[in-house]
Amino acid sequence: MYKKAGFTAHYNYLLNKKISVREILFILLFILCLTPVVSAPLALLLGILVAQWIGHPFLAVNHKATQILLQFSVVGLGFGMHIDSAIQTGRDGFLLTVISIIGTLLLGFVLAKFLNLEKLTAYLITVGTAICGGSAIAAVSPAVKANEKQISVALGTIFILNAIALFVFPVIGRALDLSQTQFGLWCAVAIQDTSSVVGAASKYGSEALQVATTVKLTRALWIIPISLLSALAFNTKGTGIKIPYFIGLFILAIILNSYIPFFQEIGTHVVHISKIGLTLTLFLIGASLSKDVILSVGYKAILQGLLLWLCLAVPVLLYIYFFL
């Protein structure tokens, strides 16, 4: 009886709740991102404009929604891949992945000392750049007992730079006439966050998207050993480590698509829906980059992230361009 009364009161509250103009505009733009009119880069730009001019009306649930949408989209992309090509792509990018991760972690340590940046903040930015952006930061943060401010600055740095990468990388790729494979590999190694990797690669072409997604998620598996080593380095044994289970679902999707005819038949439709999910993800990420978030990051954090990014992206691009 009490439950029914409570439900009725909540229902009446929802019916009587006034929806603001800001909420209506946000919902309309969100729906627009479901259409073919809005590409991944345009969705990110729309989100950034929303953050600057009207603000995100549902910011409290933004992080969780972004995380769920991104994971759903990545798993869905697995239904467009075959296991043989995925294994070959992962193998081709393995050595470059190992060298770039080790090099980025070492350089991040040096830059943090040089810039006199707060230790944990600098470390989170370094790990995010080295592995897979926001996912790596979220996984390593509890292992090193980072506080909310440190996590926010690191995430803000990564997302600001990723917003730039989503627009810049396809332009550079076309200017240098990179092949689909070359561009996909460069994106996977040189762009920090998985959302922008997939967004930039999808803008370049379907083959680039497959290469980028496979290599990036292979790279993301390094979250586990890096989190364990981080706990040891910062003397925080017994802390929780967030394992990216969705990568296992991505692999399962590839296997199902490779061997079961039913999934091969629906694979194209699932991939299409996943790309829409990715577009929505980038819109939500852009909508979270308000002026306050950007200003709270600080120039030292941005400088460290930018220098790390350039020192990773440029040598990798030169290697790919001349040797692959």
Side-chain angles (χ1 to χ4, degrees), residues 165-179:
L166 187 57
F167 295 101
V168 172
F169 270 55
V171 174
I172 295 174
R174 291 195 173 91
L176 295 176
D177 196 26
L178 295 180
S179 69

Side-chain angles (χ1 to χ4, degrees), residues 107-235:
L107 180 60
F109 176 78
V110 173
L111 284 175
K113 292 286 186 181
F114 178 74
L115 295 171
N116 194 28
L117 188 62
E118 195 277 323
K119 184 169 67 172
L120 276 182
T121 302
Y123 184 70
L124 292 178
I125 293 172
T126 300
V127 169
T129 304
I131 305 175
C132 58
S135 299
I137 292 171
V140 171
S141 295
V144 298
K145 293 185 177 179
N147 60 41
E148 186 176 342
K149 174 66 174 178
Q150 293 161 336
I151 297 169
S152 297
V153 170
L155 286 173
T157 302
I158 293 297
F159 287 142
I160 290 169
L161 295 177
N162 272 259
I164 297 170
L166 187 57
F167 295 101
V168 172
F169 270 55
V171 174
I172 295 174
R174 291 195 173 91
L176 295 176
D177 196 26
L178 295 180
S179 69
Q180 293 281 313
T181 301
Q182 286 176 318
F183 185 79
L185 183 56
W186 184 42
C187 280
V189 175
I191 300 180
Q192 301 97 323
D193 199 70
T194 306
S195 57
S196 289
V197 169
V198 180
S202 64
K203 182 71 175 176
Y204 206 76
S206 58
E207 187 180 341
L209 176 61
Q210 291 188 20
V211 172
T213 306
T214 303
V215 174
K216 191 62 179 179
L217 293 189
T218 302
R219 190 182 187 89
L221 290 172
W222 283 81
I223 286 176
I224 300 169
I226 292 298
S227 296
L228 293 171
L229 291 172
S230 299
L232 291 173
F234 286 86
N235 195 26

Side-chain angles (χ1 to χ4, degrees), residues 84-102:
D84 292 336
S85 60
I87 291 173
Q88 183 60 47
T89 301
R91 187 186 297 122
D92 292 342
F94 179 76
L95 183 60
L96 190 57
T97 292
V98 173
I99 293 172
S100 62
I101 287 176
I102 294 173

Side-chain angles (χ1 to χ4, degrees), residues 12 50-51 59 124 136 139 154 163 170 177 179 208 225 242 259 274 287 307 312:
N12 289 331
V50 164
L59 194 57
L124 292 178
D177 196 26
S179 69
K242 294 183 178 180
Y259 298 114
S274 299
L307 290 174
L312 175 64

Side-chain angles (χ1 to χ4, degrees), residues 3 8 10 30 42 45 74 105 127 132 136 145 170 209 228 233 247 304:
K3 287 184 178 180
T8 302
H10 182 66
F30 187 86
L42 181 56
L45 179 60
V74 168
L105 290 174
V127 169
C132 58
K145 293 185 177 179
L209 176 61
L228 293 171
I247 297 176
Q304 188 210 17

